Amino acid sequence: MSLKLEQYLTENLNYLKDNGLYNVIDTVEGANGPEIKIDGQTLINLSSNNYLGLATNEELKEAAISAIKTHGVGAGAVRTINGTLDLHVELENTLAEFKGTEAAVAFQSGFNCNMAAIQAVMNKEDAILSDELNHASIIDGCRLSRAKIIRVNHSDMDDLRAKAKEAVESGLYKKVMYITDGVFSMDGDVAKLPEIVEIAKEFDLITYVDDAHGSGVMGNGAGTVKHFGLEKEIDLQMGTLSKAIGVVGGYVAGSQDLIDYLKVAARPFLFSTSLTPGDTKAINEAVKMLMASTELHDKLWENGDYLKKGLKDLGFDIGNSETPITPCIIGDEKKAQEFSKRLKEEGVYAKSIVFPTVPRGTGRVRNMPTAAHTKEMLDRALEIYGKVGRELGVIK
């Protein structure tokens, strides 16, 4: 190994470990359900993004198996050559119906969506107004576009209006976009989409909502945009297929012209092999389930409200979450990691989240109850939270 590289790696790894920023990756032995097994220990799982429990759903397993039997294990090519299967077309039609748009296009991941769509639509002659707490994939997508990035204070509509006005009236940019998460994954709060739409109309902003944590959770499952009835007002709806949907992949939904353009301009679509047949079929069936019934969505919210109330009653700082995502904000990064470690020892798996995922000094344990958890599981988790919280002085 290069001596320079070895020195660089050693210095940075030591820094991360010394400052409570190093993340130890655990291996789950088996399926990622409401309870998981790590190193032989069975743990109540509060760290999964498998919001609706669909990752282990029997019907989706059968759908994936049937597609593998008829279409094989891989698509065999990029979408623009001969990697577009009838399964992909069917899925994209289902997604468009689900999101209330004219069309949709599927990608290999939610991260890929933001890398693809932002740089396809925006360029160095444009500006992007971006909420300061937007996901890393949004930040990277904005950087790739080479557009001027203007950071907007989190959910601050006065700041958005002022910066939109300044950007538009400067005459420096051909187009201006405002991009935001629909649901912010670390705090659980919801974007102020009705106010955002009004400001966008005033200044002719392109609107882009990353609904990775809103699809399946908000709007009876159809997402944050549909929750507010703004399907006709938001230009680009992006979402992941790996969280509430339970599989893997992502999508962008919008007008037919937008989707037609992304299919010829979005680089991950052009240069990466498409979703596998098994994944595609399972996703399609999962989305149809959400369109047919709100049962899983309702159970998720019931469990989320139950856990949130329990943690708040114990005295934990759970921030201002408006969704089942429930942080326990500790502050100090090392203490947050110690808190997570002790929870695991007692039987709860809830990972610590520290910088750079969240700002320095806001280290936390992020809790995500799912539709698959039972009240008994949540009661046991709350008991352990109380014990560990008092032991470490996080609560009294």
Side-chain angles (χ1 to χ4, degrees):
M1 179 187 289
S2 159
L3 292 178
K4 290 289 186 183
L5 175 59
E6 185 174 9
Q7 180 183 4
Y8 175 83
L9 295 175
T10 299
E11 289 176 355
N12 280 275
L13 285 169
N14 288 340
Y15 173 82
L16 293 172
K17 291 173 182 176
D18 290 344
N19 288 275
L21 304 177
Y22 183 77
N23 180 36
V24 176
I25 300 175
D26 297 305
T27 301
V28 177
E29 299 158 3
N32 197 327
E35 291 185 318
I36 53 176
K37 185 173 286 189
I38 295 175
D39 296 328
Q41 180 186 10
T42 299
L43 304 162
I44 299 167
N45 180 17
L46 292 177
S47 279
S48 172
N49 285 326
N50 181 25
Y51 295 139
L52 303 179
L54 290 175
T56 55
N57 181 276
E58 293 300 326
E59 291 180 46
L60 301 192
K61 290 181 190 178
E62 291 302 318
I65 291 168
S66 68
I68 290 171
K69 288 180 177 178
T70 57
H71 289 70
V73 296
V78 298
R79 291 285 301 271
T80 52
I81 298 179
N82 67 349
T84 293
L85 307 178
D86 53 353
L87 295 174
H88 295 126
V89 175
E90 182 183 359
L91 170 61
E92 289 166 345
N93 289 338
T94 302
L95 287 169
E97 182 182 355
F98 181 52
K99 304 304 290 187
T101 61
E102 291 179 357
V105 57
F107 291 90
Q108 298 83 356
S109 73
F111 207 114
N112 263 357
C113 288
N114 284 333
M115 305 294 246
I118 299 171
Q119 69 168 342
V121 173
M122 307 300 285
N123 58 53
K124 63 183 179 181
E125 297 178 321
D126 303 324
I128 300 173
L129 301 161
S130 178
D131 187 286
E132 64 180 339
L133 295 188
N134 276 343
H135 189 265
S137 61
I138 296 175
I139 295 168
D140 287 355
C142 291
R143 288 170 176 166
L144 280 174
S145 75
R146 297 179 297 162
K148 171 69 174 178
I149 302 169
I150 302 170
R151 194 168 86 160
V152 177
N153 295 338
H154 177 53
S155 286
D156 185 335
M157 296 299 99
D158 291 335
D159 193 45
L160 172 58
R161 177 173 276 104
K163 287 174 177 172
K165 185 175 189 295
E166 182 180 0
V168 171
E169 292 182 356
S170 73
L172 296 173
Y173 312 110
K174 284 194 172 181
K175 306 188 296 295
V176 180
M177 171 186 282
Y178 178 62
I179 186 165
T180 181
D181 280 319
V183 172
F184 290 87
S185 61
M186 291 299 116
D187 293 283
D189 56 321
V190 179
K192 299 173 181 176
L193 293 189
E195 295 172 64
I196 288 166
V197 165
E198 288 305 310
I199 295 169
K201 286 181 178 179
E202 183 179 351
F203 297 103
D204 193 26
L205 306 180
I206 299 167
T207 49
Y208 187 122
V209 175
D210 178 331
D211 215 24
H213 292 269
S215 295
V217 178
M218 301 292 293
N220 288 326
T224 311
V225 173
K226 214 160 192 178
H227 170 76
F228 290 109
L230 297 172
E231 303 95 302
K232 306 302 180 186
E233 308 294 340
I234 299 297
D235 295 307
L236 293 92
Q237 293 187 58
M238 169 269 167
T240 179
L241 300 165
S242 62
K243 294 180 173 62
I245 304 303
V247 192
V248 70
Y251 62 89
V252 176
S255 69
Q256 187 66 59
D257 282 349
L258 170 69
I259 303 309
D260 288 345
Y261 177 70
L262 291 179
K263 287 181 177 180
V264 297
R267 292 172 69 82
F269 184 87
L270 297 172
F271 299 112
S272 188
T273 299
S274 46
L275 286 167
T276 70
D279 290 333
T280 305
K281 184 66 173 178
I283 293 163
N284 195 48
E285 293 306 307
V287 175
K288 286 182 177 179
M289 284 182 186
L290 300 192
M291 292 167 65
S293 171
T294 65
E295 180 181 356
L296 292 175
H297 164 273
D298 296 345
K299 182 63 176 176
L300 167 65
W301 277 87
E302 180 185 330
N303 283 345
D305 290 343
Y306 187 82
L307 182 67
K308 186 173 293 180
K309 182 179 184 303
L311 290 170
K312 189 173 183 178
D313 288 348
L314 284 169
F316 287 100
D317 177 3
I318 63 170
N320 300 305
S321 175
E322 302 169 75
T323 63
I325 297 170
T326 306
C328 282
I329 302 171
I330 309 298
D332 179 76
E333 283 80 9
K334 286 186 177 181
K335 195 166 189 178
Q337 291 204 345
E338 177 63 19
F339 189 81
S340 174
K341 180 182 176 183
R342 285 290 298 119
L343 288 176
K344 182 182 174 184
E345 290 170 353
E346 294 292 333
V348 170
Y349 193 78
K351 287 285 283 187
S352 59
I353 307 293
V354 296
F355 179 83
T357 306
V358 295
R360 288 184 185 274
T362 66
R364 67 198 61 192
V365 170
R366 176 184 181 272
N367 299 282
M368 192 56 242
T370 73
H373 283 102
T374 65
K375 286 293 192 302
E376 290 74 20
M377 292 176 190
L378 298 179
D379 283 337
R380 279 192 284 128
L382 288 168
E383 182 180 347
I384 292 168
Y385 259 93
K387 176 183 178 181
V388 174
R390 286 185 289 269
E391 172 190 306
L392 296 182
V394 176
I395 59 172
K396 295 180 181 179

